[in-house]
Amino acid sequence: MSELLKNIDARTRLAGTNKLEILLFTLGVDARSGCRETYGINVFKVREVMRRPTITAAPDMPDAVQGMVSLRGALVPVVDLGRYVGVGDDAAREIMIVTEYNGHTQGFLVEGVDTILRLDWSQMRVPPEMLTARLGGLVTAVTSLADGRLVMMLDVERVLSETSRYDDAFLFRDILPLPGADAHVVYFADDSSVARKQISQTLDAMGVRHVGAVNGRQAWEELSRVAARAETNGRKVADFVSLVLTDVEMPEMDGFMLTRQIKADRRFAGIPVIMHSSLSGSSNHQLGLSVGVDEYVSKFEPQRLSQVLTRLLGMTEPASGR
C-alpha cells in the first residue's frame, strides 16, 4: 500500500491542468443494489493508506465514528465510512485511508483499495438526481471506468462536518452585516452541499446577495450569460458581479480552470476571485496565485472568509443589481 501512494507530493503538478488522480476503494456490498460499488477520493486529500490499527473507543461519539487512534503522537478520529454511507454492513473493513483536509486529519475505514486513476475533471459528471436521492447527496461527482464500473466521489467535507459536530451558531456568531452589502452580488461555485450551505450562511449574515453553482462549468456558463447581457446593455460586468468565490475540486471544470477563464476574459477585468478550498497545501496556494486568484481561504472558516470578502468587496465598485 505504501507503493500505491509513492511520491504523492509529485502529484501536485496535476493541479491547475483540470486533471486529478483519485484513489479507488470499496466499502462492501450495497444491500440496495446488490453490488459492490466503487468509490473515489482525490489523492491530494490522502496522506497514507494502512492496515486497520488498534482503535480506542471514545464516549459520546457520532454513530459512524469508531474511536481514536494515535498516529505519530497525534490523536486521529476514525470513521467507519461504510456505516456512515449505509452500505456493506457485513463487510470487514480492515483498511484505513488517512486523509488530511481543512486542516484536519482523520481515518476512513474501508473494505479495500483498488488503484489510482488519473483523469480529466471534464470526465467527472454531476451525479444524476436518482443517485443523489438514494445516497442523500453524499456523492458530488461520478465517472465511468473502461470496465463499465461507476466511480462515485464522496463529499468527504460533509463527512468531516457531520462527524465533527461543528457548532454552526458559534461559527457565524460574530459575522456582521457589511455596510452597503445589498449593492453587491457574489457568484460562487462548489460541489459540496455542506460548503455551499456555509458560503450562503456567511453571505446572508453579511447581507450580500449571491448566486451559487455546483461546479466550475455551471458557474462559467452563468457568468458568460451575465457578461453577454451586460455587453448588450452597454454596461460593465462589474455592475452585475462584485466577486467570484470558487472551490478547487469540482466535476466538469475545476476552480483553477474557472479562474483562468475569468482572468483571461477582459470583460471580467477588476472582478476579484477568491479560491475557497479544503486543499490547504502550500502548493495549491501557489497554483491559485499563478492562475490569478486574489485570495486563498480554507473552507469551514466563515469568520476568515467574511473578513476577506469585506476587504475585497470594499475594493470594488458595488454592483448595481442583476
Side-chain angles (χ1 to χ4, degrees), residues 230 235-242 267-271 317-320:
R235 305 278 294 280
K236 297 184 298 181
V237 179
D239 292 335
F240 302 91
V241 181
S242 303
R267 296 176 299 176
F268 297 96
I271 297 175
E317 181 181 345
S320 58

Side-chain angles (χ1 to χ4, degrees), residues 31-46:
R32 293 164 291 194
S33 65
C35 299
R36 177 171 274 99
E37 310 287 4
T38 302
Y39 299 89
I41 182 172
N42 194 323
V43 168
F44 281 147
K45 289 188 167 89
V46 179

Side-chain angles (χ1 to χ4, degrees), residues 96-268:
M96 187 169 78
I97 301 174
V98 182
T99 64
E100 191 169 16
Y101 55 96
N102 284 343
H104 296 266
T105 302
Q106 49 279 314
F108 291 147
L109 294 179
V110 302
E111 179 190 51
V113 293
D114 187 346
T115 187
I116 289 177
L117 178 68
R118 179 179 294 190
L119 68 166
D120 195 284
W121 269 115
S122 63
Q123 296 173 255
M124 304 297 296
R125 301 296 180 187
V126 174
E129 291 185 7
M130 182 180 298
L131 181 59
T132 301
R134 195 186 95 195
L135 291 176
L138 280 172
V139 175
T140 60
V142 297
T143 193
S144 298
L145 302 181
D147 60 11
R149 282 184 294 164
L150 185 72
V151 177
M152 296 178 283
M153 294 284 283
L154 291 178
D155 187 351
V156 291
E157 290 157 6
R158 176 172 169 177
V159 178
L160 174 60
S161 175
E162 294 185 353
T163 57
S164 298
R165 294 179 173 173
Y166 283 136
D167 183 350
D168 283 351
F170 172 78
L171 290 174
F172 298 93
R173 184 181 60 190
D174 297 325
I175 297 178
L176 302 175
L178 180 67
D182 58 351
H184 294 284
V185 183
V186 168
Y187 282 70
F188 68 86
D190 202 298
D191 63 341
S192 168
S193 59
V194 169
R196 289 197 302 273
K197 179 182 176 182
Q198 285 213 351
I199 293 168
S200 295
Q201 285 180 281
T202 301
L203 292 168
D204 287 341
M206 297 174 67
V208 176
R209 291 177 294 156
H210 49 85
V211 178
V214 298
N215 59 34
R217 179 193 58 77
Q218 187 183 91
W220 177 246
E221 290 176 353
E222 179 60 27
L223 288 168
S224 297
R225 283 192 287 268
V226 172
R229 188 164 68 243
E231 204 167 35
T232 299
N233 294 320
R235 305 278 294 280
K236 297 184 298 181
V237 179
D239 292 335
F240 302 91
V241 181
S242 303
L243 181 146
V244 177
L245 178 69
T246 179
D247 186 17
V248 172
E249 302 176 278
M250 294 181 289
E252 303 187 22
M253 181 189 291
D254 69 11
F256 292 117
M257 191 63 65
L258 174 61
T259 301
R260 272 206 183 100
Q261 296 198 183
I262 291 171
K263 294 299 184 178
D265 193 323
R266 288 187 295 178
R267 296 176 299 176
F268 297 96

